[in-house]
């Protein structure tokens, strides 16, 4: 019997739908199956890198940003699977950071190893910089090794002047101008004469119908600042200006002024224009062969800093909040600190400098976040100096402030270098402080093409420039982003000052200012808007100039102790109280 051939129109068996879905899921999820510790052993370094490079959301057109995202992913996966980011818990050396060459199509090259040189010897050419294997534990001393005291001796500009210095008999010009409104409404700050009893503070409140909010003792200036709230403001005649004028006539008062308000100077998130173009612009790779900032403490007067960010691990030595609140990581403070001392995927200007984090800006109240006052900033500066800061970064602006000016002048006499942003209010705006102060190094911002930031204030005194437009920065929660503003530029210059003081600790303000101005790379001399800009700071040329200076060039005054031990003891006692 012959078999019957099958009919052509007979339906063929089809696979079940769930089998098809299962196969698709296995294909999609397969890159991560070996990354799951529940199903497999710990992945290798190559597997982690392959996984991060295969992430669909990293397949973007901008090669530089993609490189940064992949690097962040690799770091997260290493921590997730128990890999130590570097040996023995030490901060990674500067040469382990990745440097992006803007001229390349996303090629990542290792930053060359910082190599210390004898200041008396000649600076080697760039080609002689020795590359170091990042996996070597002994390649560069870890940041933790900088616990030793930072420069016990500094130099004063006025020999024989006692510390603390008493306030002048009367501070003039403290009443705000009619057009000035950058101060806390209904508050005044009062400093009594040294020979007046503290009880006078309560008597003053009673006589002038003021509410005493809190005193703030400033150890280094030898005075106490009293913060008052004006009562009866509804009457219309008790404005801040009127109260300041009335209190100036009281012979018990040494100084009185408004509680001025300052604003942090980041402008806006930038477009994807580049990543860390500051490295070639400021010649940081060459500079790190001479100095990495390991012996310098930099105070960052700013908002909260994310100490746990990979870029800042072990970099923050100590912190202080004048308001007594718990420090909350914030974008601005983390970005500024990272520009100075980043040492993971990014390269900081001074990658082994230590940070003193002073949270003088921001609050639990969202209405006042991003602002700081005289009452918060002054104790932050004093705390920084008492804890050994040689550089103070001030990426904020505000009105002329007599109390802040006195604090900066006193610190400058004791060898502290203050760096500040000129502001982001445009060329037509007036001078902003503290950058306009004569004892501060003012900084404006430039972009990748060396053009001055379009929103930057004009420099009313000679200033320097540094990259500040579309700067790749560290953000809280292990994130990265781009920011623009003169704040970013000021942080770059603070880092260069840290390198200079690390290489030559006896440098004082006049010498550092001269070095930065003399070695800066000039911009367009024919542009009237740039006539007061010395140029873009060159870290390498600055270090070469510093190494060539003799002791008499670095300072012209006798050595004194930065802060007398008695004042340090008093500050510790008051902090304990």
């Amino acid at each position: 019997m012959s078999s019957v051939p099958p009919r052509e129109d007979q339906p063929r068996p089809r696979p079940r739908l769930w089998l098809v879905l299962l196969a698709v899921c296995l294909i999609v999820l397969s890159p991560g199956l070996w990354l799951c510790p529940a199903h497999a052993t710990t992945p290798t370094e190559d597997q982690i890198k392959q996984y991060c490079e295969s992430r669909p959301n990293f397949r973007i057109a901008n090669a530089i940003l993609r490189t940064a995202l992949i690097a962040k992913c690799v770091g997260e996966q290493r921590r997730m699977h128990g890999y130590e980011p570097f040996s023995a818990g030490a901060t990674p050396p500067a040469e382990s950071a990745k440097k992006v060459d803007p001229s390349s199509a996303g090629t990542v090259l290792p930053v060359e190893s910082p190599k210390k040189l004898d200041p008396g010897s000649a600076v080697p050419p760039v080609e002689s910089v020795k590359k170091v294997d990042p996996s070597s534990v002994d390649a560069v001393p870890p940041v933790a090794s900088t616990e030793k005291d930072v420069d016990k001796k500094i130099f004063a500009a006025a020999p024989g002047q006692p510390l603390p210095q008493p306030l002048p008999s009367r501070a003039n010009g403290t009443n705000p101008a009619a057009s000035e409104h950058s101060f806390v409404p209904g508050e005044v700050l009062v400093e009594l004469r040294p020979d007046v009893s503290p009880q006078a503070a309560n008597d003053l409140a009673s006589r002038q119908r003021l509410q005493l909010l809190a005193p703030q003792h400033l150890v280094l200036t030898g005075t106490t600042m009293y913060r008052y709230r004006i009562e009866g403001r509804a009457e219309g005649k008790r404005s801040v200006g009127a109260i300041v004028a009335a209190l100036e006539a009281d012979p018990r008062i040494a100084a009185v002024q408004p509680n001025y308000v300052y604003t942090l100077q980041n402008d806006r998130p930038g477009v994807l224009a580049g990543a860390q173009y500051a490295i070639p612009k400021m010649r940081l790779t060459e500079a790190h062969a001479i100095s990495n900032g390991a012996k310098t403490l930099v105070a960052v007067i700013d908002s909260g800093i994310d100490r746990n960010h990979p870029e800042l691990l072990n970099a923050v030595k100590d912190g202080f909040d004048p308001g007594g609140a718990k420090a909350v990581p914030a974008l601005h403070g983390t970005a500024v600190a990272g520009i100075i001392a980043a040492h993971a995927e990014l390269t900081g200007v001074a990658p082994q400098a230590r940070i003193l984090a002073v949270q003088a800006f921001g609050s639990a109240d969202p209405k006042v976040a991003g602002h700081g006052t005289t009452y918060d900033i002054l104790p932050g500066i004093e705390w920084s100096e008492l804890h050994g800061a040689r550089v103070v970064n001030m990426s904020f602006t505000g009105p002329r402030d007599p109390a802040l000016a006195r604090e900066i002048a006193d610190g400058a006499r004791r060898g502290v270098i203050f760096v500040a942003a000129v502001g982001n209010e445009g060329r037509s705006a007036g001078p902003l402080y503290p950058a306009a102060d004569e004892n501060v190094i003012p900084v404006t911002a430039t972009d990748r093409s060396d053009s001055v930031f379009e929103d930057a204030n004009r420099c009313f005194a000679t200033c320097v420039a540094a990259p500040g437009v579309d700067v790749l920065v560290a953000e809280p929660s292990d994130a990265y982003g781009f920011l623009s503003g003169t704040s970013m530029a000021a942080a770059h210059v603070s880092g260069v000052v840290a390198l200079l003081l690390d290489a030559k600790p006896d440098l004082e303000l006049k010498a550092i200012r001269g070095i930065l101005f003399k070695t800066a790379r000039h911009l367009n001399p024919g542009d009237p808007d740039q006539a007061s800009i010395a140029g873009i700071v060159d870290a390498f040329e600055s270090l070469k100039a510093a190494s060539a200076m003799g002791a008499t060039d670095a300072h012209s005054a006798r050595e004194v102790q930065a802060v007398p031990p008695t004042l340090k003891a008093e500050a510790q006692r008051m902090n304990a109280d």
Side-chain angles (χ1 to χ4, degrees):
M1 178 190 245
S2 61
S3 59
V4 180
R7 293 178 53 182
E8 294 298 330
D9 60 346
Q10 184 176 350
R12 298 178 181 272
R14 297 180 180 178
R16 295 181 179 274
L17 180 61
W18 66 270
L19 290 175
V20 176
L21 294 175
L22 178 60
V24 172
C25 291
L26 288 174
I27 293 173
V28 172
L29 298 177
S30 60
L33 289 179
W34 32 260
L35 284 174
C36 180
H39 295 80
T41 59
T42 302
T44 66
E45 296 271 6
D46 291 339
Q47 288 175 327
I48 288 177
K49 184 177 179 181
Q50 180 182 351
Y51 166 72
C52 291
E53 291 177 344
S54 68
R55 295 280 296 275
N57 53 329
F58 292 173
R59 295 171 186 169
I60 56 181
N62 187 278
I64 296 174
L65 183 59
R66 181 175 183 271
T67 300
L69 292 173
I70 291 174
K72 178 187 174 186
C73 171
V74 170
E76 292 173 345
Q77 290 296 329
R78 283 173 55 86
R79 288 192 297 275
M80 180 187 304
H81 294 285
Y83 283 93
E84 290 294 334
F86 31 83
S87 300
T91 298
E95 70 272 17
S96 66
K98 304 295 183 184
K99 186 187 81 168
V100 178
D101 182 359
S103 63
S104 68
T107 303
V108 179
L109 299 175
V111 176
E112 294 167 331
S113 164
K115 182 181 179 183
K116 285 283 187 173
L117 296 182
D118 182 358
S121 64
V123 178
V126 179
E127 293 80 3
S128 66
V129 178
K130 183 180 179 181
K131 294 187 177 181
V132 179
D133 181 4
S135 63
S136 173
V137 177
D138 299 324
V140 176
V143 174
S145 65
T146 61
E147 291 291 346
K148 55 187 177 182
D149 293 338
V150 178
D151 192 29
K152 297 293 186 182
K153 298 283 186 177
I154 59 176
F155 303 89
Q161 192 168 15
L163 291 173
Q165 303 165 28
L167 286 169
S169 58
R170 177 67 57 183
N172 296 321
T174 56
N175 211 328
S179 59
E180 182 57 70
H181 302 288
S182 298
F183 50 80
V184 179
E187 287 190 9
V188 292
L189 301 179
V190 173
E191 297 174 59
L192 300 178
R193 293 179 58 87
D195 56 346
V196 175
S197 168
Q199 181 59 34
N202 294 323
D203 179 63
L204 187 69
S206 176
R207 288 175 178 270
Q208 297 291 340
R209 295 171 60 195
L210 304 173
Q211 179 185 356
L212 178 59
L213 298 178
Q216 184 77 260
H217 187 61
L218 304 176
V219 178
L220 299 181
T221 55
T223 186
T224 299
M225 177 171 286
Y226 296 90
R227 179 183 171 201
Y228 293 96
R229 177 178 292 126
I230 302 172
E231 296 180 344
R233 285 183 292 152
E235 300 172 11
K237 296 182 180 181
R238 294 180 57 79
S239 65
V240 170
I243 297 301
V244 168
L247 292 176
E248 283 184 329
D250 193 318
R252 298 171 297 177
I253 294 177
V256 57
Q257 67 171 66
N259 190 11
Y260 288 109
V261 175
Y262 296 81
T263 306
L264 294 170
Q265 290 299 291
N266 68 301
D267 182 66
R268 60 183 183 272
V271 296
L272 304 181
Q276 288 210 278
Y277 62 92
I279 293 175
K281 292 287 185 185
M282 301 175 69
R283 301 177 71 187
L284 295 180
T285 301
E286 299 91 325
H288 291 165
I290 303 173
S291 172
N292 54 29
K295 297 193 297 291
T296 310
L297 279 173
V298 181
V300 176
I301 313 293
D302 215 288
S303 57
I305 295 173
D306 185 358
R307 303 186 185 193
N308 296 320
H309 196 289
E311 302 295 343
L312 295 170
L313 281 176
N314 297 329
V316 179
K317 181 179 181 181
D318 204 350
F320 174 62
D321 187 340
K326 183 179 180 181
V328 178
L331 170 60
H332 194 276
T334 302
V336 167
I339 289 173
I340 297 171
H343 51 241
E345 303 300 335
L346 302 179
T347 298
V349 181
Q352 292 200 26
R354 306 300 299 278
I355 300 294
L356 293 176
V358 178
Q359 184 174 307
F361 289 78
S363 169
D365 183 357
K367 296 181 180 179
V368 297
H371 293 82
T373 67
T374 306
Y375 191 77
D376 297 324
I377 294 170
L378 263 61
I381 293 176
E382 288 217 341
W383 178 90
S384 300
E385 190 175 346
L386 285 166
H387 285 73
R390 289 299 311 278
V391 186
V392 176
N393 184 86
M394 301 184 294
S395 290
F396 54 82
T397 62
R400 181 182 178 276
D401 187 333
L404 181 57
R406 290 197 302 272
E407 191 72 37
I408 291 174
D410 288 343
R413 279 193 289 268
R414 287 187 287 268
V416 180
I417 310 300
F418 295 89
V419 180
V422 298
N424 304 331
E425 296 187 8
R427 304 289 195 278
S428 61
L432 293 176
Y433 291 82
D437 191 283
E438 62 180 356
N439 292 303
V440 171
I441 297 175
V443 185
T444 190
T446 52
D447 59 19
R448 290 189 63 181
S449 64
D450 294 348
S451 298
V452 178
F453 180 42
E454 61 181 1
D455 291 338
N457 284 46
R458 185 161 53 91
C459 297
F460 285 84
T462 304
C463 67
V464 290
V469 180
D470 297 329
V471 177
L472 181 59
V473 298
E475 296 183 353
S477 303
D478 295 2
Y480 296 84
F482 290 91
L483 286 180
S484 296
T486 55
S487 279
M488 313 302 120
H492 279 105
V493 174
S494 290
V496 174
V497 175
L499 296 179
L500 288 170
L501 292 173
D502 177 48
K504 200 171 185 65
D506 58 350
L507 290 172
E508 52 136 28
L509 173 62
K510 182 179 179 181
I512 289 179
R513 196 198 306 266
I515 289 172
L516 295 177
F517 288 176
K518 180 180 178 180
T519 61
R521 189 174 70 258
H522 296 297
L523 298 174
N524 183 3
D527 187 345
D529 288 337
Q530 300 181 15
S532 60
I533 303 175
I536 298 175
V537 169
D538 188 319
F540 182 53
E541 289 296 330
S542 296
L543 286 166
K544 286 171 56 179
S547 66
M549 294 179 63
T552 55
D553 298 321
H555 64 92
S556 58
R558 65 179 179 88
E559 288 190 18
V560 296
Q561 276 201 327
V563 180
T566 53
L567 289 183
K568 284 192 174 183
E570 182 180 354
Q572 292 173 355
R573 177 184 59 78
M574 295 191 65
N575 288 338
D577 295 340

